Amino acid sequence: MAELVVYLAGEFLAETAISYFAIGKEAMFLRAAIRAGSFVLTTKAAQSMGLIGGTAANELKGQTINVRSSTAPRQLIYGQSLVGGVMFYAATTGTNNEYLHTVFGLADHQIQSVEKVYFGDEDVGTVSGNVSSGRYSGKARIQNKTTGGTAYSDLVTETASLTNKWTSSHKLTGISSVYVRMQYDTSVFTSIPTVRALVKGKLVYDPRSTTTAWSDNPALCIRDYIMSDYGMRVTADEIDSASFIAAANICDETVTASGSVTQKRYTLNGVVDTSKSPREVLQDMLSTCAGMLIYSSGKYKLIVGAFSSPVQTITVDDLRGDVQLSCANEKANLFNRVSGVFADADKLYSATEYPAIASSTFKTQDGGEELTAQLDLNFTTNNLEAQRLAKINLLKSRQGIVVNISCKPTCLNITAGDVVALTISQLGWSGKYFRVMEWRLNEDIGVDLVLKEEDSTAYDWSTSDAQDGAPNTSLTLIQPQAAPSGLSATNQNLSLPDGTILPAAHISWNAVSSAYVTGYELQFKLSTDTVWQSLFTSQTVYDYVGQQEVALVYNIRVRAIYSDKEAP
């Protein structure tokens, strides 16, 4: 464990006290993990000097192109997003094959609506019927189906004479799609354009109203995904409805983003690639709400980014063993600046950098070195919302205290994801907030908890510089402590049996009144030297004997050694 040290400098007679402290860094990097009692899955934590979802820009670009493949993974659309889709069908008709017919699959589910259709980056002006204005007037026809079940009748009729015709059996059951017919005209089409659709996606169940409708609420979208065949196939009985309802309400809260601009606290808008693992998908989805998905006591519980009052105050009377803690992040896991990309709805959902969130306070704490982490937000489409999420990640990353405690049965009502308050005076904690990251029932019918420091202000939004709202401790131990006082040295001679007389000094100082003091370090050097020599003692007196018969001038100083291993 780190030692806390205090120096007092002096030359035979005590001089001005010089005191300082240094706390060593011992870190535990907490990751989502399955344990016997519970597991917690969180958003991808931003990693220092590394990329999170480094292919985010490519993923977002890939969602807006047209793909023709029989093995392309199906996709799910939550909230609102711009998609290219998979080309299911292409054929030409007309006297000179002047009509190109194409059908694009949008999602493997019913959608709310197709809001716009684009050729390239240009809005064609309609989502259903003949294009009657703009560049493509009279040269294109658009139809769409929010869910399958019936064939495109115009396409059936117009391709009836073809070998690869579209028939009434081509119903695309359960699939949302767009059908586009373009008429060849070199003055309008210089090439076949990329067809893209702005889609309001999947209908999701809302346990608050017991209705199913379109929503960009992250809690509702996450609930839908984990219950889907492409997700985790969770049953309704395995859902902690109360937590999802509470999370949905928090997501729908209105916050002031900038000046008079208000917005929902959290939204989710994006495309799920079903070839990705559920874990990867959930981490991306959870990033939209600074959330945690918890499995405990047979149920899935969702916690989103907002402070909640502690469910219990834990004191030393609730403990049945030692407290193990790490007090700081290693530099490899520290960062004081967060940057990344999001799917900018104002730029046709292309990958766009949001303004980096940085803290000059944290940079100073990190020795003036800028430590940048990249946080890519594929399911966030608003610039200000992306900045809010980046700041939450920055502030939470600085809460580095992780505590392992073994508790008595008095703590059995605590579950993973709860906030608790710790009151341990020996550590300077009085109602200090922690989030339960792991929960395990032990053989003594108590619980073992892994707790991570929680900052009640981390979820607040302000454009001001980030600050640490949860000081590590209130102990004066981390402030400069009382140094040994009364340092003095009395000259005296030491007579050897052979008659030799050596110069000597009797050194003494006043003890420091603190249970944390484990001893003292006495340092001395010749006044003409630059290197100090050290010796350690548990006493407050020491007799120093010179090695030469001539008198020399020495500098002497002493410090008390404090250890956090000692009980107060």
Side-chain angles (χ1 to χ4, degrees), residues 348-377:
L348 294 180
Y349 296 81
S350 62
T352 305
E353 291 187 359
Y354 55 82
I357 300 297
S359 168
S360 60
T361 300
F362 296 158
K363 184 176 179 181
T364 299
Q365 294 174 0
D366 297 335
E369 183 178 357
E370 186 174 89
L371 303 174
T372 300
Q374 181 155 332
L375 178 65
D376 293 332
L377 301 165

Side-chain angles (χ1 to χ4, degrees), residues 512-551:
V512 174
S513 180
S514 172
Y516 286 96
V517 173
T518 60
Y520 300 91
E521 180 183 3
L522 183 66
Q523 292 190 328
F524 58 92
K525 70 178 182 67
L526 285 171
S527 60
T528 56
D529 289 346
T530 58
V531 178
W532 293 86
Q533 299 180 57
S534 295
L535 56 87
F536 297 88
T537 177
S538 60
Q539 307 300 314
T540 59
V541 295
Y542 185 80
D543 290 316
Y544 176 77
V545 180
Q547 301 301 311
Q548 304 180 40
E549 297 184 27
V550 297

Side-chain angles (χ1 to χ4, degrees), residues 312-323 405-408 410-411 421-431 567-568:
Q312 183 173 330
T313 296
I314 299 175
T315 70
V316 292
D317 293 334
D318 298 305
L319 304 182
R320 64 178 188 86
D322 294 337
V323 176
I405 55 176
S406 296
C407 300
K408 298 175 182 177
T410 54
C411 297
L422 284 192
T423 295
I424 303 176
S425 60
Q426 294 92 331
L427 296 174
W429 296 341
S430 178

Side-chain angles (χ1 to χ4, degrees), residues 80-377:
Q80 180 170 285
S81 191
L82 187 69
V83 297
V86 178
M87 184 184 291
F88 288 161
Y89 179 78
T92 57
T93 63
T95 305
N96 298 306
N97 289 326
E98 65 268 26
Y99 294 109
L100 173 64
H101 305 263
T102 53
V103 178
F104 299 92
L106 300 177
D108 189 34
H109 55 76
Q110 180 181 357
I111 61 174
Q112 170 68 19
S113 60
V114 175
E115 297 291 297
K116 293 181 180 181
V117 172
Y118 293 84
F119 289 169
D121 294 340
E122 189 172 347
D123 181 0
V124 301
T126 186
V127 298
S128 181
N130 293 318
V131 177
S132 58
S133 61
R135 177 183 176 186
Y136 301 103
S137 178
K139 300 298 180 180
R141 182 180 68 199
I142 310 293
Q143 295 177 12
N144 74 83
K145 290 187 180 294
T146 59
T147 187
T150 59
Y152 286 106
S153 57
D154 288 342
L155 182 58
V156 171
T157 300
E158 294 178 32
T159 62
S161 61
L162 301 180
T163 302
N164 63 329
K165 59 187 174 183
W166 193 269
T167 71
S168 58
S169 297
H170 293 91
K171 298 178 181 181
L172 299 179
T173 301
I175 298 174
S176 50
S177 61
V178 167
Y179 159 45
V180 177
R181 189 190 75 174
M182 291 175 276
Q183 183 177 356
Y184 178 74
D185 187 333
T186 56
S187 65
V188 177
F189 299 103
T190 57
S191 62
I192 300 174
T194 299
V195 177
R196 301 192 284 180
L198 180 62
V199 175
K200 280 194 170 181
K202 202 173 188 196
L203 310 185
V204 295
Y205 178 77
D206 189 339
R208 298 172 297 180
S209 61
T210 67
T211 59
T212 299
W214 177 86
S215 176
D216 60 0
N217 185 296
L220 304 185
C221 295
I222 291 170
R223 181 187 184 279
D224 181 88
Y225 176 74
I226 65 174
M227 295 183 69
S228 73
D229 289 340
Y230 292 114
M232 299 165 66
R233 299 184 180 181
V234 173
T235 66
D237 290 339
E238 295 176 294
I239 295 289
D240 183 337
S241 293
S243 73
F244 278 84
I245 289 173
N249 288 335
I250 291 171
C251 292
D252 279 343
E253 290 175 353
T254 300
V255 297
T256 300
S258 176
S260 60
V261 177
T262 60
Q263 56 187 203
K264 289 182 180 179
R265 183 180 290 275
Y266 301 120
T267 60
L268 187 154
N269 298 277
V271 178
V272 171
D273 179 349
T274 57
S275 68
K276 297 176 69 174
S277 70
R279 182 186 182 87
E280 290 179 289
V281 172
L282 283 169
Q283 287 178 324
D284 283 338
M285 297 179 82
L286 288 166
S287 73
T288 65
C289 57
M292 297 190 300
L293 182 64
I294 300 156
Y295 183 77
S296 182
S297 301
K299 289 185 178 291
Y300 289 88
K301 178 180 181 181
L302 180 65
I303 304 293
V304 296
F307 181 72
S308 55
S309 299
V311 299
Q312 183 173 330
T313 296
I314 299 175
T315 70
V316 292
D317 293 334
D318 298 305
L319 304 182
R320 64 178 188 86
D322 294 337
V323 176
Q324 302 176 31
L325 73 150
S326 64
C327 296
N329 287 320
E330 292 178 341
K331 188 174 181 179
N333 296 321
L334 277 177
F335 49 90
N336 49 52
R337 182 177 180 271
V338 178
S339 63
V341 299
F342 71 108
D344 193 348
D346 294 332
K347 297 181 180 179
L348 294 180
Y349 296 81
S350 62
T352 305
E353 291 187 359
Y354 55 82
I357 300 297
S359 168
S360 60
T361 300
F362 296 158
K363 184 176 179 181
T364 299
Q365 294 174 0
D366 297 335
E369 183 178 357
E370 186 174 89
L371 303 174
T372 300
Q374 181 155 332
L375 178 65
D376 293 332
L377 301 165

Side-chain angles (χ1 to χ4, degrees), residues 27-91:
M28 176 187 296
F29 186 63
L30 191 64
R31 294 179 172 89
I34 296 178
R35 293 291 185 266
S38 62
F39 77 84
V40 177
L41 180 64
T42 67
T43 180
K44 293 178 182 177
Q47 297 175 8
S48 178
M49 308 305 292
L51 297 180
I52 290 183
T55 59
N58 291 333
E59 288 181 10
L60 291 172
K61 183 178 181 180
Q63 293 167 7
T64 60
I65 64 175
N66 297 145
V67 178
R68 188 167 188 175
S69 171
S70 60
T71 60
R74 300 196 179 197
Q75 62 186 21
L76 315 176
I77 303 171
Y78 287 103
Q80 180 170 285
S81 191
L82 187 69
V83 297
V86 178
M87 184 184 291
F88 288 161
Y89 179 78

